[in-house]
């Protein structure tokens, strides 16, 4: 087998119709890369401008020509003006409390109660959360989602393994099972659970919970809601939903235009649009978390969930990146910050009040990666 | 010779020697010649921008490989984020069945089922001939992760080839 792979790769590489670039071409590309980096540095300003301008002028449902009208957002007041907090260096940042949600580091989980334990299954993983006295763990290649008992014994395995959604109270979780159904489970402290299975055509993942037992799901290139009455309906504008607010009845996701929008699942209206990728909502539904788009964002924004107005922003220096931010509670966000120049990383806590602190010690980013517990 | 000219001369000399190999590695990572050329150009551009900071010129090949792989993963992430932006129109009609002219053809096709990290591990191990430790450094993961990803990739490829009927246990002993 090894010989076959070596031979195939060598042969394919040799016969590939590839054209070399000249130094001048590479220099022109370098100028483009430099320009993109500069543009990224100012993307937050552009994002804020778009949020304000679009919210004020474009509105919502009109983009589909269906006569929907967005609620008029409150005009930003001087006290709502964005305040930018800049991170200097990870090592200079004050050490604060340990994370109030769990996190994985290597093959060890650090639970919210301060205890640690091996990752159930002891294999690489992409996503994890606690549920019904046990764990839900999505494999590193998202090929399987496994449900483990509290002692690490596997109890069920689902493929493909899209990360599960968790309700705000942590008592319910939902995932896609082998048959393409949406399983909505209510867990009990003794490890038992009651599962409701719903048929949803072409579902690829459960995005999150909504009020009254509903869930938002992805798949088929559109955002859909499965409500408590088992009905499936389409959400306006969203082609790829990625976050929900149970408290606020909100769904965020990407639109067909390529920008991002937040939709009210109660009224089926688009509340606001943004160029910032909205990755989650605070547990009380008041704030949304936005990232400047790009593969390696350096700007994190806390937004008013109803209007998209920027409440606070965190700006990272060059050579640092923000990964997988999650709400820790109603007023704080935890994010993995990696300094690629020094090969260092730490979990950083950023508050709606502008507070900034490390939640873990600074570690080498060459060793292991942090994986924060999946939260609503 | 001023500083900028010296930099450009040194970079051009290095690039001339390094580019063919980078292009081939990029092609094996992504499987598409146009994407490979784009990927390589971007990686070279980033190295050009960082040239004045690269003091260890003896390990430029390793650094370039790392930039290339990271850029590939970034491209994949961007693609994944946008992959659900689809239309309601039906997909392109499939053409006639591809003619398999042997295990190589089948293996090349099956590489596409691997995840980007598993494919990167396979390319770095079996084309670049890197050790487990070197692959771990390039990908920024532990050696254990490299071993497990490689093992899974090989298992997947064996399973895919067996399903396709182009690989049997008997064959594996004769190769």
């Amino acid at each position: 087998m090894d010989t076959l792979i070596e031979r195939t790769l060598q042969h394919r590489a040799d016969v590939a119709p590839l054209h070399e670039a000249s130094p001048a071409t590479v220099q022109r590309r370098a100028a483009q890369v430099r320009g993109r980096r500069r543009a990224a540095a100012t993307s937050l300003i552009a994002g804020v401008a778009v949020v304000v301008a679009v919210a004020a002028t474009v509105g919502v449902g009109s983009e589909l020509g269906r006569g929907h009208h967005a609620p008029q957002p409150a005009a930003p007041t001087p006290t709502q003006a964005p305040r930018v907090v800049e991170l200097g260096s990870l090592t200079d940042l004050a050490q604060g409390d340990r994370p109030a949600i769990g996190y994985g580091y290597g093959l060890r989980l650090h639970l919210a109660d301060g205890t640690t334990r091996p990752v159930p299954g002891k294999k690489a993983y992409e996503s994890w959360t606690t549920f019904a006295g046990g764990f839900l763990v999505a494999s590193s290649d998202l090929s399987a989602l496994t449900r483990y008992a509290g002692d690490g014994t596997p109890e069920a395995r689902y493929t493909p393994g899209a990360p599960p959604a968790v309700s705000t109270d942590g008592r319910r979780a939902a995932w896609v099972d082998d048959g393409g159904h949406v399983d909505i489970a209510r867990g009990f402290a003794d490890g038992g659970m009651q599962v409701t299975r719903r048929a949803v055509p072409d579902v690829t993942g459960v995005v999150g919970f909504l009020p009254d037992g509903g869930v938002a799901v992805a798949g088929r290139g559109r955002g859909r809601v499965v409500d408590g009455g088992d009905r499936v309906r389409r959400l306006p504008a969203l082609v790829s939903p990625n976050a929900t607010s149970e408290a606020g009845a909100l769904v965020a996701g990407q639109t067909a235009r390529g920008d991002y929008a937040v939709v009210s699942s109660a009224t089926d209206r688009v509340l606001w649009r943004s160029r910032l990728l909205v990755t989650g909502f605070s547990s009380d539904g008041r704030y949304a978390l936005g990232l400047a788009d790009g593969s390696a964002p350096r700007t994190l924004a806390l937004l008013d969930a109803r209007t998209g107005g920027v409440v606070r922003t965190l700006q990272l220096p060059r050579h640092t990146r923000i990964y997988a931010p999650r709400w820790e509670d109603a007023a704080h966000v935890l994010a993995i910050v990696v300094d690629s120049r020094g090969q260092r990383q730490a979990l950083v806590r950023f508050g709606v009040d502008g507070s900034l602190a490390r939640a873990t010690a600074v570690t080498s980013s060459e060793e292991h990666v942090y994986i924060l517990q999946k939260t609503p | 010779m001023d500083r900028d000219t010296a930099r450009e001369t040194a970079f051009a000399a290095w690039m001339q020697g390094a580019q063919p190999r980078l292009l081939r590695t990029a092609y094996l990572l992504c499987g598409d010649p146009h994407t490979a050329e784009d990927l390589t150009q971007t990686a070279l551009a980033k190295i050009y921008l960082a040239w004045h900071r690269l003091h260890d010129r003896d390990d430029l090949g390793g650094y370039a490989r790392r930039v290339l792989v990271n850029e590939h993963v970034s491209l994949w992430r961007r693609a994944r984020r946008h992959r659900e932006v689809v239309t309601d129109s039906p997909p392109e009609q499939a053409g006639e069945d591809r003619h398999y002219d042997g295990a190589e053809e089948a293996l090349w096709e099956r590489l596409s089922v691997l995840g980007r990290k598993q494919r990167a591990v396979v390319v770095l191990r079996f084309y670049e001939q890197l050790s487990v430790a070197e692959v771990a450094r390039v990908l920024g993961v532990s050696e254990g992760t490299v071993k497990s990803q490689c093992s899974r990739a090989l298992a997947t490829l064996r399973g895919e080839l067996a399903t396709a009927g182009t690989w049997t246990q008997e064959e594996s002993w004769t190769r």
Side-chain angles (χ1 to χ4, degrees), chain A residues 4-93:
Chain A
L4 174 63
I5 296 174
E6 286 175 16
R7 197 176 66 211
T8 301
L9 294 178
Q10 189 66 53
H11 180 245
R12 286 286 166 171
D14 288 345
V15 301
L18 299 167
H19 300 94
E20 293 182 24
S22 68
T25 302
V26 171
Q27 285 173 24
R28 281 197 296 275
R29 178 62 67 93
Q32 292 172 357
V33 171
R34 192 186 289 124
R36 279 204 300 271
R37 287 173 177 171
R38 286 176 180 158
T42 57
S43 62
L44 176 68
I45 297 170
V48 171
V50 167
V51 168
V52 174
V54 171
T57 59
V58 175
V60 189
S62 56
E63 100 281 358
L64 291 178
R66 292 179 183 170
H68 294 168
H69 298 285
Q72 288 299 312
T77 65
T79 55
Q80 291 175 317
R83 299 179 197 173
V84 177
V85 177
E86 295 191 359
L87 171 65
S89 76
L90 282 176
T91 48
D92 293 340
L93 197 57

Side-chain angles (χ1 to χ4, degrees), chain B residues 80-119:
Chain B
R80 184 169 74 157
R81 180 176 302 162
H82 294 279
R83 68 182 173 180
E84 294 211 57
V85 183
V86 297
T87 68
D88 289 334
S89 56
E92 292 177 6
Q93 295 296 310
E96 61 186 52
D97 289 344
R98 302 277 307 263
H99 170 65
Y100 290 94
D101 57 0
E104 276 189 27
E105 179 76 24
L107 178 71
W108 178 249
E109 296 254 339
R110 265 46 184 193
L111 277 173
S112 63
V113 306
L114 299 181
R116 87 286 191 193
K117 278 194 176 169
Q118 286 187 2
R119 183 165 177 150

Side-chain angles (χ1 to χ4, degrees), chain A residues 14 31-32 99 110 134-135 141 176 188 197 229 236 261 306 322 327 341 348 351 373:
Chain A
D14 288 345
Q32 292 172 357
H110 298 247
F135 300 88
D141 56 0
V176 176
F188 302 99
R197 180 163 291 176
R306 307 301 300 187
I322 299 170
W327 284 95
R341 186 171 52 182
V348 169
Q373 179 178 349

